[in-house]
């Protein structure tokens, strides 16, 4: 096919992309949500370009496999020679290069569309590596392996073996990064060609380095044994080729607060809080206090709680004292509750006392049973059915005679819904 027919591909691709990008819900919702939910770093353009090329190559394999799979070999070979570099095949491959949610891939494909067409129809023979031609040479997004930065400089240790093979060169293969070597555990130096802190050279030759761990507290050593230490880690002191723990609590190296005490640990120390009974302390517990806290008193060698309730400290009516650690509190006595700063008597749950309003028609000092005089209770063996689905309990009402007439001694009425 005449390569000049490629001018029809651009409208077709743009039409497809326009149709796809016309559904913002499909693209933008899937892309924007991760940005809102968690910090997200966009991939380097080189990585996007590499993914595009890898997907393109898979598309080439797929289109050959799907269109030809046995039968008349001579016919297929003749047919394949026409299809292999055809515009039809290119369109089929490009349609599946980017996933629907990969916005960066779609954007890069749109920007590099003409370059991809040019390579497909004109450059395949002289530049068979699409990644090198497109991503490195044409778009200048990537660098060769072992190099980094805008000028594709060699990584420390050389492009053939960046970071000596014992680390990762930051930005390797891209036009970005610092080229700094992030060394593996046990290795250090600019190009990871030395053993790191706490490791020694167990083996080395022109191309190989093995670093092994020193004995625990050793920062530098000549071998794995305790006696091979040459320098100690922080918190340790070298003594006769051995690292001995420094007791920071016995020196001025420790720095703890006024209400804390020091505890030595291997290679370091800890500051722990004094007991509540102490104002300053020399160790754990109420027996190591420098002074007693308010609410505590010295009893022997310990600071013990003072029981303030032994004296009258709660002035309120119906209050009682309750001792606490280092202090006390005033609470309402049993059967009372606090309301607006005053202890008032609690009503028994389920009981309601209501004075009835009626005029007795009985003589003085006589008992009279009245159906409305009752006590509300959850259970009353003398209760009987009343109006509105309530139970009514009958109680006696007694009146006392006086010169002024009869007086109500007590009258109680209650009802409960069953």
């Amino acid at each position: 096919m005449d390569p000049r027919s490629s001018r029809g591909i651009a409208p077709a691709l743009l039409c497809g992309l326009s149709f796809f990008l016309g559904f913002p819900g499909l693209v933008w919702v899937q892309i924007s949500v991760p940005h809102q939910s968690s910090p997200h770093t966009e991939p380097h353009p080189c990585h996007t370009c590499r993914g595009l090329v890898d997907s393109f190559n898979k598309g080439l394999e797929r289109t050959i496999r799907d269109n030809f799979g046995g039968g008349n070999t001579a016919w297929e070979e003749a047919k394949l020679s026409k299809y292999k570099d055809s515009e039809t095949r290119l369109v089929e491959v490009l349609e599946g290069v980017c996933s629907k949610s990969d916005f960066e891939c779609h954007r890069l494909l749109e920007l590099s569309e003409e370059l991809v067409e040019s390579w497909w129809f004109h450059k395949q023979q002289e530049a068979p590596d699409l990644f090198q031609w497109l991503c490195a040479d044409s778009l200048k997004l990537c660098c060769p392996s072992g190099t980094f930065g805008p000028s594709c400089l060699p990584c420390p240790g050389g492009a053939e073996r960046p970071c000596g093979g014992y680390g990762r060169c930051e930005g390797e293969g891209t036009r970005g990064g610092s080229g700094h070597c992030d060394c593996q555990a046990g290795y250090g130096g600019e190009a990871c060609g030395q053993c790191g802190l706490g490791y020694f050279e167990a083996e080395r030759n022109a191309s190989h380095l093995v670093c092994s761990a020193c004995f625990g507290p050793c920062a530098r050593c000549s071998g794995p044994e305790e006696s091979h230490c040459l320098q100690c880690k922080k918190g340790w002191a070298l003594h006769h080729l051995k690292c001995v723990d420094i007791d920071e609590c016995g020196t001025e190296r420790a720095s703890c607060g006024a209400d804390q005490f020091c505890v030595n640990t291997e290679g370091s120390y800890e500051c722990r809080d004094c007991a509540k009974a102490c104002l300053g302390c020399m160790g754990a517990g109420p027996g190591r206090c420098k002074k007693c806290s308010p609410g505590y008193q010295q009893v022997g060698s310990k600071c013990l709680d003072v029981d303030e309730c032994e004296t009258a400290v709660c002035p309120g009516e119906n209050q009682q004292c309750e001792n606490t650690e280092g202090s006390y509190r005033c609470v309402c006595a049993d059967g009372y509750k606090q309301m607006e700063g005053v202890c008032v008597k609690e009503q028994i749950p389920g009981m309601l006392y209501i004075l009835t309003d009626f005029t007795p028609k009985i003589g003085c000092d006589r008992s009279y049973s009245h159906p409305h005089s009752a006590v509300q209770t959850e259970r009353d063996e003398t209760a009987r059915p009343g109006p509105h689905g309530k139970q009514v309990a009958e109680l006696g009402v007694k009146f006392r005679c006086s010169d002024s007439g009869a007086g109500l001694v007590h009258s109680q009425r209650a009802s409960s819904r069953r």
Side-chain angles (χ1 to χ4, degrees):
M1 178 176 289
D2 188 347
R4 288 175 295 179
S5 63
S6 63
R7 61 179 178 270
I9 297 178
L13 285 175
L14 287 175
C15 180
L17 284 171
S18 299
F19 175 79
F20 175 77
L21 295 175
F23 295 89
L26 286 173
V27 178
W28 292 106
V29 168
Q30 296 183 23
I31 295 300
S32 62
V33 167
H35 284 273
Q36 295 173 356
S37 60
S38 60
H40 175 72
T41 302
E42 290 187 358
H44 191 279
C46 175
H47 300 151
T48 302
C49 193
R50 182 182 294 276
L52 186 151
V53 171
D54 290 343
S55 182
F56 186 92
N57 290 332
K58 292 179 181 178
L60 293 179
E61 297 176 4
R62 184 186 68 253
T63 51
I64 289 295
R65 184 178 63 251
D66 292 348
N67 286 279
F68 304 94
N72 189 326
T73 305
W75 180 86
E76 282 195 355
E77 288 180 354
K79 186 84 171 178
L80 179 60
S81 63
K82 296 180 180 180
Y83 176 76
K84 180 179 178 182
D85 300 320
S86 68
E87 176 183 349
T88 300
R89 187 184 181 195
L90 176 60
V91 172
E92 289 178 1
V93 171
L94 290 178
E95 284 177 347
V97 162
C98 299
S99 65
K100 291 182 178 181
S101 62
D102 194 343
F103 176 74
E104 297 299 325
C105 178
H106 282 286
R107 183 168 62 178
L108 181 60
L109 179 60
E110 185 175 4
L111 293 173
S112 60
E113 177 187 342
E114 292 184 1
L115 288 173
V116 173
E117 293 178 15
S118 176
W119 177 84
W120 180 257
F121 293 114
H122 305 291
K123 303 292 184 179
Q124 284 195 66
Q125 299 304 318
E126 59 183 271
D129 187 344
L130 176 59
F131 172 77
Q132 180 66 35
W133 184 87
L134 177 65
C135 302
D137 299 338
S138 300
L139 295 177
K140 299 190 182 302
L141 298 176
C142 302
C143 287
S145 178
T147 64
F148 73 98
S151 301
C152 294
L153 299 175
C155 289
E160 294 297 321
R161 199 176 183 199
C163 301
Y166 301 110
R168 182 184 64 84
C169 175
E170 185 187 355
E172 180 187 0
T174 74
R175 297 284 174 144
S178 64
H180 173 77
C181 285
D182 182 14
C183 301
Q184 299 173 8
Y187 295 85
E190 182 183 0
C192 305
Q194 303 171 9
C195 291
L197 192 68
Y199 289 81
F200 69 96
E201 290 186 6
E203 183 180 343
R204 179 190 279 274
N205 56 34
S207 60
H208 197 60
L209 172 64
V210 177
C211 295
S212 298
C214 296
F215 183 77
C218 300
R220 289 195 307 109
C221 63
S222 58
E225 302 298 329
E226 182 181 10
S227 59
H228 291 161
C229 290
L230 301 176
Q231 181 182 343
C232 300
K233 295 178 181 178
K234 183 179 179 180
W236 302 81
L238 189 64
H239 183 70
H240 297 303
L241 296 180
K242 292 184 180 181
C243 290
V244 181
D245 175 50
I246 296 173
D247 184 0
E248 292 86 355
C249 298
T251 68
E252 294 182 356
R253 299 188 182 190
S255 179
C256 294
D259 291 323
Q260 292 181 319
F261 64 95
C262 180
V263 177
N264 188 56
T265 61
E266 285 196 350
S268 187
Y269 68 95
E270 295 178 356
C271 292
R272 300 179 184 176
D273 292 336
C274 296
K276 186 178 179 181
C278 301
L279 279 179
C281 64
M282 298 171 288
R288 301 299 306 278
C289 298
K290 293 180 180 178
K291 290 183 179 180
C292 295
S293 298
Y296 294 85
Q297 61 184 352
Q298 185 95 23
V299 179
S301 62
K302 295 184 178 181
C303 289
L304 301 180
D305 175 51
V306 175
D307 187 358
E308 294 85 355
C309 296
E310 290 182 352
T311 59
V313 292
C314 295
E317 188 177 0
N318 300 318
Q319 283 187 332
Q320 63 184 26
C321 178
E322 190 174 277
N323 189 51
T324 62
E325 187 72 18
S327 186
Y328 70 95
R329 60 171 172 259
C330 294
V331 298
C332 292
D334 292 341
Y336 292 83
K337 66 178 181 179
Q338 190 167 10
M339 291 183 63
E340 299 180 357
V342 180
C343 292
V344 297
K345 191 171 182 63
E346 286 186 301
Q347 288 187 351
I348 300 175
M351 302 294 289
L352 179 63
Y353 299 87
I354 304 174
L355 289 176
T356 56
D357 183 15
F358 67 96
T359 302
K361 298 179 180 180
I362 58 176
C364 295
D365 206 20
R366 294 184 181 181
S367 296
Y368 175 70
S369 179
H370 193 280
H372 298 298
S373 301
V375 177
Q376 178 181 344
T377 178
E378 294 296 327
R379 300 186 61 179
D380 193 324
E381 295 181 359
T382 63
R384 61 178 178 78
H388 308 297
K390 297 183 178 180
Q391 295 289 333
V392 176
E394 294 186 359
L395 291 180
V397 180
K398 181 175 287 187
F399 294 85
R400 183 179 295 112
C401 293
S402 68
D403 294 340
S404 59
L408 177 63
V409 177
H410 73 267
S411 177
Q412 297 172 325
R413 176 190 175 189
S415 63
S416 62
R417 189 177 299 277
R418 295 291 179 173

